[in-house]
Amino acid sequence: MAHSSVTGAVPAAWPAPDPRLRPIFHVPADGSGGYVGDANGMLYRRHPWNASTGAPGLFHLFWQAFLPPDGTAGLFWSHAVSSDYVFWASLPNPSIGPGAESGGAAQLADGDVVAVFNRIGGGGHWAARPLAPRSDPLLTNWSMTAKVPGIAGTDLNGGFRDGSGDGTWKIAADIPVGTAVDFAEIGLFSSNDSMVSFTEQGLLHTYTWRRCVDLPSQCGFHTSPCDPGLFRLPGTDVWVVYGMQKTCADSGREFYALGRYDAGRFTLLDPTSDMGNNLFDGGEGYAHMNVLDPRGGGVGRMLWTGAVIEGDRDPSDPAAGFPLKWTGARGWFGVLSLPRVLTLGNYTLDDGSADVFLETPPLPELRALRQARGSVNVSVDLEAGGEAHPLELRGRSIEIDAAFDLAATSAAGWDLGLQILWSDEDEELTRVGIRDGRRMDGIDLWDEVNGDRSVSNASSPASCAASCAADAGCGAWTHTALPSGGWCRLKSTAQRSLLVVGGSGGCFLPSHGNWSNATSVSGFKQQASTRFAQLYIERTKSWVKPTTCGKQRDCTYGRFGYAQMLRIRRDDPDLRLQVWADRSIVEVFGQSGRAAVTARVYPTLSTSSRVGIFSRTAGRASVGAWLLRRANVSAEHVLRSAALM
């Protein structure tokens, strides 16, 4: 989270976030004052420090936290450890700071560990090292060591080896263009094995958002990817460059590009697929980071975790400065997402072209969170109409895995899913589901990389859809109603479009920079091999009693939905929807991670714990649901689990 300054005194007593909204099976946020920011410093380290490949190890995860250890505002890295990336022990705060902002960590050849980060007020990048790396597997105590020269910009990822065998560490970081940080590119920097200084190796990748070009003047964020990174997908020769587009609402979205990497150069796999149209998650996401999980031998797995900031903040919120803009947070302000395993999806479209993208299935080991008591496993006959059928289980921290018969998706306008955090009075509820992609009301399609195939006047969504059907090269359409008629925009590469839900804030509002008070309807042209649908989270009734908003909070803001395009293959046996709800965060996965959507919700009624299943068309579904336990454990538990005690 690149900010220009940190000022302001911290009150003697921090305002306590609402305990009913604090997640219990996400990474604990003990001591973070209600604020959890960027994921940083992710690391898997075997112990003893010089052990063989099969030795046990621990995951280390840091995140930015505002802590007042001496009564003065300061940004620190909080620290948690885990043996399985499911159960975590929070270590004493703070671990690294003050002023520790974006950065990563790596284990050196001699067994030492070094974290390199941008230091607010420190005049550049600094390093921190654990005081006892050989005798303390928890890496409990750290020391800020020295400035690390040679890295431009502010945001950067952790050091990594690029497989070239040149003995150097690489770091991806933003490079200011000219004298302003308002515009930046992603550069590559290299260092010898000590990581005490770096040299610029050259430009890695560049992408500038064409929307939200007014963000720098509004809130100081540049229009090129923030918090960038680079890694190789295990078992492939495909590399991923990623970076976040920020908004003024203390939120953002994480984008990626797939390509080949050689000698410091990154080349796109497909010029129609770049950071402007590839989202990790169709919902809320902020400053993610990756770590290689080497357990089990082989090439390992790449795990992905990020921050999910309280995403219902009005961009015009007058609160300014740190930490004042977080003291009015209605829920636990930030939380780290559940871990996801990054894999490569590679399908063939009807025209023979390749459809290559990232799949983000949830970590399978999360099933260990299921409680022995408190579960249901049922088959349900779905009645048409869309009314939710209650399940015999209630919970605010719950996992649901539903498999729908594809017969329920045969009729036009199908819409099916789950109703969670649902009150007895039906006042409060959150809907998550999958909808027909042939017509999507309230959705605008964006594709910055490829633009529009054509733009024309159209009187109605139906006439726009007909224009797409008559055009052999059209894959999708968006109709926008205007005071003077309608606007029809056709897309060629349908699967590259972002789904933007009407009412969403900041730069993702469909009307941003073009028109005001506009309503859009969109649709995908379906293929013989692949159907395109909409995975969504609907928040219009997610909370009804905004008693904790504060005088500077607009409690109507944030009720817009989130959505992402979902690929349904013709040979899929069913339609699978996986949901994790944890009090104030909901994470939804379609078709085992082909699409994902994450959002924050703030249910306030005491009865908002019901779970239901619904469908607009008749069909059948199999549903498993489990109450989930807390993920926070003691450090001794983590050491025992890793056989280090």
Side-chain angles (χ1 to χ4, degrees):
M1 178 186 295
H3 299 297
S4 58
S5 63
V6 178
T7 60
V10 175
W14 280 68
D18 189 336
R20 299 171 300 172
L21 299 176
R22 178 179 175 179
I24 67 168
F25 61 81
H26 287 72
V27 175
D30 298 326
S32 296
Y35 170 72
V36 176
D38 302 18
N40 288 127
M42 293 169 64
L43 175 73
Y44 182 80
R45 184 171 188 260
R46 298 192 184 279
H47 194 81
W49 63 271
N50 60 352
S52 64
T53 302
L58 294 178
F59 289 100
H60 296 263
L61 176 56
F62 299 84
W63 63 90
Q64 293 176 20
F66 246 107
L67 305 174
D70 57 358
T72 303
L75 193 64
F76 293 79
W77 280 12
S78 285
H79 184 191
V81 293
S82 174
S83 63
D84 55 12
Y85 222 93
V86 176
F87 295 96
W88 293 86
S90 291
L91 299 180
N93 289 313
S95 288
I96 301 174
E101 202 188 33
S102 298
Q107 181 172 339
L108 305 183
D110 64 358
D112 197 5
V113 176
V114 59
V116 179
F117 51 89
N118 182 57
R119 186 177 185 186
I120 297 175
H125 297 90
W126 282 65
R129 287 177 165 82
L131 297 179
R134 301 189 183 187
S135 60
D136 177 16
L138 297 175
L139 302 181
T140 307
N141 298 305
W142 292 70
S143 172
M144 303 268 276
T145 55
K147 290 185 67 173
V148 180
I151 304 175
T154 56
D155 300 349
L156 69 163
N157 74 336
F160 63 94
R161 305 285 197 183
D162 65 1
S164 63
D166 62 3
T168 65
W169 288 93
K170 304 296 193 298
I171 277 180
D174 56 8
I175 302 177
V177 176
T179 58
V181 182
D182 291 345
F183 301 95
E185 297 169 331
I186 302 174
L188 195 66
F189 302 83
S190 63
S191 170
N192 61 20
D193 198 43
S194 65
M195 295 182 72
V196 296
S197 65
F198 283 78
T199 58
E200 185 173 332
Q201 190 169 334
L203 178 66
L204 178 66
H205 190 58
T206 182
Y207 189 85
T208 300
W209 316 112
R210 294 200 298 267
R211 62 177 178 270
C212 303
V213 293
D214 54 349
L215 281 180
S217 62
Q218 290 182 15
C219 51
F221 297 155
H222 54 71
T223 59
S224 293
C226 302
D227 293 289
L230 171 69
F231 62 86
R232 182 176 63 85
L233 284 172
T236 76
D237 62 351
V238 176
W239 288 71
V240 181
V241 167
Y242 65 86
M244 179 180 63
Q245 184 183 23
K246 296 186 177 181
T247 74
C248 293
D250 284 313
S251 62
R253 290 187 175 183
E254 200 80 43
F255 292 79
Y256 68 87
L258 302 177
R260 304 273 193 254
Y261 170 86
D262 181 52
R265 297 190 178 276
F266 179 82
T267 305
L268 288 173
L269 285 181
D270 178 358
T272 71
S273 174
D274 203 343
M275 299 184 77
N277 56 13
N278 284 325
L279 274 172
F280 280 97
D281 189 299
E284 191 72 24
Y286 202 95
H288 290 69
M289 193 163 279
N290 57 285
V291 61
L292 179 66
D293 175 10
R295 299 172 301 165
V299 297
R301 305 178 296 181
M302 192 64 72
L303 306 185
W304 183 251
T305 300
V308 186
I309 305 297
E310 186 172 73
D312 68 323
R313 299 178 62 81
D314 190 332
S316 63
D317 188 342
F322 301 91
L324 297 179
K325 63 195 312 179
W326 296 309
T327 58
R330 91 171 46 133
W332 203 262
F333 177 78
V335 60
L336 297 184
S337 71
L338 293 174
R340 306 173 188 192
V341 183
L342 299 181
T343 60
L344 196 65
N346 188 356
Y347 301 134
T348 301
L349 298 176
D350 288 357
D351 63 3
S353 62
D355 181 18
V356 183
F357 62 100
L358 278 180
E359 298 180 318
T360 60
L363 186 72
E365 290 90 328
L366 291 171
R367 65 175 65 93
L369 291 166
R370 297 171 182 172
Q371 295 189 29
R373 297 181 179 180
S375 66
V376 297
N377 197 328
V378 297
S379 293
V380 181
D381 289 319
L382 302 172
E383 297 181 359
E387 293 297 322
H389 171 78
L391 301 179
E392 294 298 322
L393 188 69
R394 303 182 71 125
R396 289 175 178 255
S397 296
I398 192 169
E399 174 195 350
I400 313 168
D401 191 344
F404 294 85
D405 186 337
L406 287 176
T409 68
S410 57
W414 61 268
D415 181 357
L416 49 80
L418 298 162
Q419 194 158 288
I420 59 175
L421 302 172
W422 175 21
S423 69
D424 290 345
E425 302 82 6
D426 297 335
E427 293 179 88
E428 212 164 55
L429 58 90
T430 295
R431 278 204 164 193
V432 299
I434 304 172
R435 291 173 177 150
D436 189 354
R438 285 171 288 189
R439 175 180 170 126
M440 302 175 289
D441 292 329
I443 295 292
D444 191 282
L445 298 180
W446 283 88
D447 185 352
E448 284 195 342
V449 179
N450 303 298
D452 296 320
R453 176 177 175 83
S454 66
V455 180
S456 62
N457 293 324
S459 59
S460 67
S463 61
C464 186
S467 297
C468 182
D471 183 346
C474 176
W477 56 272
T478 292
H479 178 270
T480 303
L482 300 173
S484 58
W487 196 12
C488 178
R489 294 152 39 222
L490 304 186
K491 307 287 183 180
S492 297
T493 52
Q495 80 280 11
R496 301 299 182 204
S497 296
L498 305 183
L499 276 65
V500 185
V501 181
S504 59
C507 62
F508 296 107
L509 189 68
S511 62
H512 182 84
N514 293 292
W515 56 84
S516 60
N517 299 320
T519 300
S520 293
V521 179
S522 299
F524 290 111
K525 183 185 290 185
Q526 305 299 300
Q527 300 200 350
S529 60
T530 305
R531 287 191 293 165
F532 301 120
Q534 175 190 357
L535 179 73
Y536 68 89
I537 296 179
E538 170 60 55
R539 303 190 299 168
T540 55
K541 296 179 68 176
S542 289
W543 59 92
V544 297
K545 293 186 178 180
T547 57
T548 58
C549 285
K551 63 182 180 181
Q552 292 180 325
R553 191 73 64 252
D554 175 7
C555 289
T556 63
Y557 186 83
R559 295 178 186 272
F560 57 86
Y562 287 114
Q564 188 167 27
M565 189 271 291
L566 175 66
R567 298 162 173 88
I568 304 173
R569 300 290 293 175
R570 292 297 179 179
D571 56 357
D572 285 342
D574 50 36
L575 196 58
R576 189 180 183 194
L577 182 65
Q578 296 167 277
V579 180
W580 275 263
D582 196 6
R583 295 185 174 181
S584 64
I585 178 173
V586 176
E587 300 183 59
V588 182
F589 300 86
Q591 298 304 82
S592 301
R594 287 184 203 159
V597 181
T598 300
R600 300 298 302 276
V601 294
Y602 310 100
T604 55
L605 298 178
S606 60
T607 63
S608 295
S609 59
R610 288 199 293 167
V611 177
I613 185 169
F614 67 88
S615 177
R616 288 186 61 182
T617 54
R620 190 170 179 80
S622 299
V623 186
W626 301 266
L627 299 180
L628 301 186
R629 69 188 71 190
R630 294 180 179 272
N632 57 308
V633 295
S634 66
E636 291 75 15
H637 176 93
V638 170
L639 291 173
R640 285 195 301 270
S641 299
L644 296 176
M645 289 187 63

